[in-house]
Amino acid sequence: MAKHEHGSMDTSTHEKTFDSFMNFVKWSCIVIIAILVFMAIFAR
C-alpha cells in the first residue's frame, strides 16, 4: 500500500459534485415553495 500523506488528495471532483448537489437542493426548494404558494392562492 502507498503511504498516505495528509492533504495530498485532489478534491476538485468532490467539490464539483457538492456544488451540483447544492444547486439541485436550492432549485428544488424554490420549486416546492412556488408550488405551495400557487396552491395557497388558488385553493378553495
Side-chain angles (χ1 to χ4, degrees):
M1 267 198 199
K3 185 177 177 184
H4 174 70
E5 293 181 24
H6 185 70
S8 64
M9 185 174 161
D10 180 23
T11 60
S12 61
T13 305
H14 297 170
E15 291 171 4
K16 288 177 188 175
T17 303
F18 181 74
D19 289 340
S20 298
F21 173 74
M22 291 306 293
N23 196 30
F24 172 76
V25 169
K26 175 183 73 173
W27 285 108
S28 296
C29 288
I30 290 170
V31 168
I32 291 169
I33 290 170
I35 290 170
L36 290 173
V37 168
F38 180 79
M39 290 171 61
I41 291 172
F42 294 104
R44 291 184 180 209

